[in-house]
Amino acid sequence: MAAYLLKRLLLIIPTLIGIMLISFVLIQFAPGGPIERIIAQISGSEVSATSRIGGGQGDGLSAPGGGLSGAGAAEASKYRGAQGLDPAFIKSLEKQFGFDKPAYERFGLMMWNYLRFDFGKSYFRDVSVLQLIREKMPVSISLGLWMTLATYLICIPLGIRKAVHDGEPFDTWTSGLLVLGYALPGFLVAVFLLVVFAGGSFFQWFPSRGLTGETWAQMTWAGKIVDYFWHLALPLTAMALGSFTTMTFLTKNSFLDEIRKQYVTTARAKGLGEKRILYGHVFRNAMLLIIAGFPGAFISAFFSGSLLIEKIFSLDGLGLLGWESVINRDYPVVFATLYIFSLVGLVVHLVSDFVYTLVDPRIDFESREV
């Protein structure tokens, strides 16, 4: 196992470079960019993607006096809308954003900095990328952690009971509810919950925005816990509803597959009780895939974020940050988050393989080719 882990660790670096290279090349062909955005701000033609980033805050440059001159200063430019701007001003923008260097040099410098975990500063916010990500982490941690735990705590017992009562009325009607929940888009469920239970048109039972209330700092620790989960109730319900289906049916099918095996028949023939067979023999084998997949499921929920859910409930997390960064061509944030998420994803896959061996020592990854 040690040799396998070492090989996987060594493969992380070239895999990361490949992911970043493909993304970097694709970005080079994408229309627009940070320079075009600033030019649009200066000319007054920009329509900001989000109200909180609009206005060019933090870019630190404005057109110098005389830059918007008439035909005397107008020169052809490779940037859309740059006609009439002083070429020296355009050059200063290119130098500020690093576009005065060739693409291969920019990519090499970026990867060298990223390998040292130096992610630089956001183009349009006067703050480092790591600090920006840290500011959004509480929302993503809350949604990812509690959604994953709720999914496992509800779906595993439900899946086991469905397997035990396979084909019975309980199995039939719960399957219908699960399929219905899976078919409903999360954002649609979020809007429904907001309208019905958060003061939209009917009841004012839950708060409609944020992670905490306005008086959270003055609350007791018990009051803070209650307020925190009260704010999370509707967003978590909207996010987790669809994920219940996959996990429940995975659990049910795993248990059904094990229940039908010969060793269960043998255990019954020896006179063992159904509970002892189910939890003493079947459980460990059936839960192999589910338990080993927990690290990956948690990290996926933790980092993926849900843009629409965050937007509907006014939660400022990584999902909203990623969307704003792409729309506003804030490349340091886009590439840094991609790098961090890819690195964590690769490490978690490695951890998942290691958990497999802990759950079932019979699994030997060293006999497989990486």
Side-chain angles (χ1 to χ4, degrees), residues 61-229:
L61 282 173
S62 59
L68 290 170
S69 61
E75 295 184 4
S77 174
K78 59 185 176 179
Y79 299 107
R80 184 176 58 185
Q83 289 77 12
L85 291 177
D86 188 347
F89 173 64
I90 301 298
K91 291 289 185 184
S92 66
L93 285 178
E94 290 181 338
K95 184 174 181 180
Q96 176 185 352
F97 294 117
F99 294 128
D100 56 332
K101 302 180 180 67
Y104 68 87
E105 186 175 339
R106 283 187 280 124
F107 178 76
L109 181 61
M110 179 184 74
M111 290 308 303
W112 171 246
N113 290 332
Y114 283 10
L115 289 174
R116 297 181 292 122
F117 292 94
D118 178 9
F119 301 106
K121 297 179 67 174
S122 166
Y123 280 165
F124 302 109
R125 311 181 197 219
D126 191 20
V127 63
S128 70
V129 173
L130 282 179
Q131 181 180 341
L132 193 59
I133 293 175
R134 280 197 297 267
E135 290 174 358
K136 314 299 180 183
M137 278 294 186
V139 170
S140 297
I141 290 175
S142 298
L143 293 177
L145 173 64
W146 299 117
M147 188 188 79
T148 305
L149 291 179
T151 301
Y152 271 76
L153 291 176
I154 293 174
C155 295
I156 291 176
L158 180 58
I160 294 174
R161 187 173 180 186
K162 284 174 67 64
V164 173
H165 299 280
D166 181 42
E168 298 179 9
F170 173 80
D171 180 41
T172 303
W173 69 262
T174 53
S175 295
L177 290 178
L178 289 169
V179 172
L180 178 62
Y182 185 77
L184 290 174
F187 74 89
L188 191 61
V189 176
V191 172
F192 172 80
L193 294 175
L194 196 65
V195 170
V196 176
F197 299 108
S201 300
F202 298 93
F203 309 104
Q204 182 67 60
W205 292 350
F206 295 92
S208 60
R209 58 185 298 125
L211 270 184
T212 55
E214 295 180 357
T215 60
W216 192 80
Q218 287 76 44
M219 296 179 183
T220 62
W221 65 269
K224 289 181 177 179
I225 294 175
V226 172
D227 182 73
Y228 169 72
F229 283 106

